[in-house]
């Protein structure tokens, strides 16, 4: 029997990174530290209470969770003007991004981004029949803001997506550059939403502000976050977004009914109530990142400046050989980014020591 597959999906492989049992799994930017027992107990208690009502549909608009997320952003990024009506959430920031594409993309519309960047962006566009255009970043992976503004004027996109810190490079975007993108987007006929994807924002260096601080003056700005990384909650699947109420209301139109389960809501609220405990190792991860970058550069490799919990390094004549050599020694990293480059997530000190020794062996 022949299946009526969409022609643009024929022969494609699903997105995914290897999930292998190795000594050091450093390929998908997970937090290497499991939640502490006190938080595990709090989540278990919250989930048990939610389980008592699982015969009923969950809160469709999850206002309690949205209020907790607004309070967290006020504490973490000093943006105390946010309320529940300014927050959206979904099953990971992937679904938040899909909602944005469903609301503002579609046939005849274009999304603009700047490569190299997160490999899922073109897939969101593909799945919503939205055009996807990229312009190259500078050689050091920063954004050439003049070129970026010119790209907006040239393509007149419905949406611009920039990750800060950028994945896979770790590059942060200055607020002045975000404002320049917003100004250019404001001139696009029919409107243009600027999405700043801050999935790794909690790992940014001291003094680097969040784009959320620009929200009051910009109704076409959306700032996306996740609880997968700094919260050590990748298995909890909770991503969220801050924006003006008018933008949030459009996302409510395209979301599926009851898209956040009662268990997910309970888990996220319990985690937010203990965010300081969950994020106790963020400073340690930052320090390990900076030490890793310094060590890689001392060995002669080029490393992109990073405000995330990973580092992109290279170039290698044969990065696949290096990847396989590390894997044979129990270290799993990621083949991603420009040709010749590799990305390593920051793990525990023990995992990073194994990575360094294995890399020296493979490249000797």
């Amino acid at each position: 029997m022949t299946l009526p597959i969409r022609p643009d999906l024929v022969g494609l492989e699903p997105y995914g990174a290897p999930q292998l049992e190795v000594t050091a799994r450093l390929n998908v930017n997970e937090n290497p530290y499991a939640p502490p027992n006190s938080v595990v107990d709090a989540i278990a208690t919250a989930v048990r209470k939610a389980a008592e009502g699982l015969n009923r549909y969950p809160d469709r608009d999850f206002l309690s969770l949205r209020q907790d997320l607004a309070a967290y952003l006020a504490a973490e990024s000093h943006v105390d003007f946010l309320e529940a009506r300014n927050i959206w959430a979904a099953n990971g920031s992937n679904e938040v991004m899909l909602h944005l594409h469903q609301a503002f993309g579609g046939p005849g519309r274009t999304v603009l981004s700047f490569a190299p960047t997160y490999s899922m962006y073109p897939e969101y566009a593909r799945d919503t029949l939205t055009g996807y255009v990229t312009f190259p970043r500078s050689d050091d992976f920063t954004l050439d803001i003049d070129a970026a503004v010119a790209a907006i004027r040239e393509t007149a996109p419905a949406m611009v997506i920039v990750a800060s810190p950028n994945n896979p490079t770790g590059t942060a975007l200055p607020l002045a550059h975000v404002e320049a993108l917003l100004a250019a987007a404001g001139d696009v006929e029919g409107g243009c939403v600027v999405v700043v994807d801050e999935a790794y924002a909690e790992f940014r260096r001291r003094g680097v502000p969040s784009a959320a601080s620009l929200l009051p003056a910009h109704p076409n700005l959306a700032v996306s976050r996740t609880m997968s990384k700094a919260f050590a909650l990748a298995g909890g699947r909770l991503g969220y977004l801050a924006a003006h109420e008018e933008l949030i209301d459009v996302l409510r139109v395209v979301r599926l009914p009851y898209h956040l389960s009662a268990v997910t809501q309970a888990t996220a609220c319990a985690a937010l109530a203990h965010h300081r405990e969950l994020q106790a190792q963020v400073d340690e991860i930052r320090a390990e990142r900076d030490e890793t970058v310094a060590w890689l550069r001392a060995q002669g490799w080029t490393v992109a400046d990073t405000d995330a919990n990973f580092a992109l390094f290279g170039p290698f004549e044969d990065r696949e050989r290096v990847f396989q050599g590390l894997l044979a020694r129990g270290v799993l990293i990621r083949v991603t980014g420009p040709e010749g480059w590799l990305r390593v997530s920051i793990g525990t000190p023990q995992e990073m020591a194994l990575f360094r020794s294995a890399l020296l062996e493979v490249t000797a």
Side-chain angles (χ1 to χ4, degrees):
M1 182 181 73
T2 301
L3 295 173
I5 306 170
R6 272 173 40 185
D8 59 318
L9 300 182
V10 173
L12 296 184
E13 294 291 330
Y15 171 88
Q19 291 182 303
L20 306 175
E21 289 301 321
V22 292
T23 305
R25 190 164 66 181
L26 307 173
N27 68 325
V28 288
N29 305 335
E30 295 163 323
N31 191 317
Y33 299 100
N37 289 335
S38 58
V39 181
V40 171
D41 291 341
I43 291 174
T45 299
V47 168
R48 177 177 174 78
K49 184 176 180 180
E52 293 173 356
L54 287 182
N55 58 309
R56 302 295 185 185
Y57 284 112
D59 180 352
R60 188 171 46 237
D61 289 318
F62 49 94
L63 290 174
S64 294
L65 171 57
R66 289 161 71 183
Q67 185 57 54
D68 288 351
L69 287 164
Y72 167 72
L73 279 178
E76 194 276 334
S77 293
H78 312 294
V79 286
D80 56 4
F81 45 80
L82 295 174
E83 301 176 18
R85 58 193 177 92
N86 301 119
I87 302 294
W88 187 242
N91 290 284
S93 56
N94 297 112
E95 189 178 32
V96 171
M97 286 290 179
L98 187 62
H99 287 167
L100 286 164
H101 282 72
Q102 289 173 313
F104 302 110
R109 295 190 169 195
T110 299
V111 168
L112 171 67
S113 195
F114 304 93
T117 194
Y118 185 35
S119 59
M120 277 298 296
Y121 293 159
E123 297 200 18
Y124 305 138
R126 177 201 69 198
D127 292 348
T128 56
L129 304 179
T130 306
Y132 181 74
V133 176
T134 60
F135 278 74
R137 289 173 173 264
S138 301
D139 290 342
D140 62 356
F141 305 123
T142 58
L143 208 60
D144 180 333
I145 194 60
D146 292 335
V149 166
I152 293 173
R153 292 174 178 154
E154 177 183 337
T155 60
M159 192 158 58
V160 176
I161 304 179
V162 284
S164 180
N166 184 48
N167 182 8
T169 65
T171 317
L173 193 65
L175 284 190
H177 287 186
V178 178
E179 290 181 298
L181 295 175
L182 286 162
D187 293 334
V188 174
E189 185 176 355
C192 175
V193 173
V194 175
V195 182
V196 181
D197 183 354
E198 292 190 342
Y200 302 95
E202 284 90 349
F203 300 104
R204 64 193 188 275
R205 285 172 280 192
R206 301 290 183 188
V208 176
S210 167
S213 61
L214 301 175
L215 280 169
H218 298 285
N220 63 328
L221 172 63
V223 180
S224 174
R225 291 282 190 99
T226 183
M227 294 182 72
S228 294
K229 312 302 181 180
F231 275 87
L233 210 67
R237 307 310 303 133
L238 198 290
Y240 59 103
L241 174 147
H244 277 235
E245 184 176 11
E246 293 80 4
L247 192 153
I248 299 296
D249 283 344
V250 180
L251 303 185
R252 293 175 61 223
V253 172
V254 300
R255 63 101 166 93
L256 294 174
Y258 313 109
H259 72 289
L260 277 183
S261 76
V263 171
T264 298
Q265 293 180 41
T267 298
C269 286
L272 285 161
H274 295 81
H275 71 88
R276 288 184 177 84
E277 295 164 74
L278 277 169
Q279 296 177 349
Q281 277 90 16
V282 166
D283 284 342
E284 184 175 337
I285 293 170
R286 280 198 203 102
E288 191 67 45
R289 171 199 67 202
D290 293 343
E291 290 177 13
T292 300
V293 169
W295 180 84
L296 286 166
R297 287 173 175 166
Q299 309 314 306
W301 287 294
T302 300
V303 187
D305 287 337
T306 176
D307 277 270
N309 65 331
F310 54 81
L312 185 75
F313 64 105
F316 297 93
E317 288 187 9
D318 186 352
R319 66 175 175 177
E320 187 65 32
R321 183 189 69 81
V322 177
F323 169 81
Q324 292 295 341
L326 291 173
L327 184 57
R329 291 162 175 80
V331 179
L332 177 62
I333 65 170
R334 190 72 177 267
V335 177
T336 188
E339 186 62 37
W341 292 73
L342 294 166
R343 191 192 70 198
V344 60
S345 305
I346 303 304
T348 65
Q350 295 77 16
E351 289 171 330
M352 300 314 293
L354 178 59
F355 161 71
R356 289 191 293 270
S357 63
L359 184 61
L360 289 178
E361 287 181 15
V362 172
T363 59

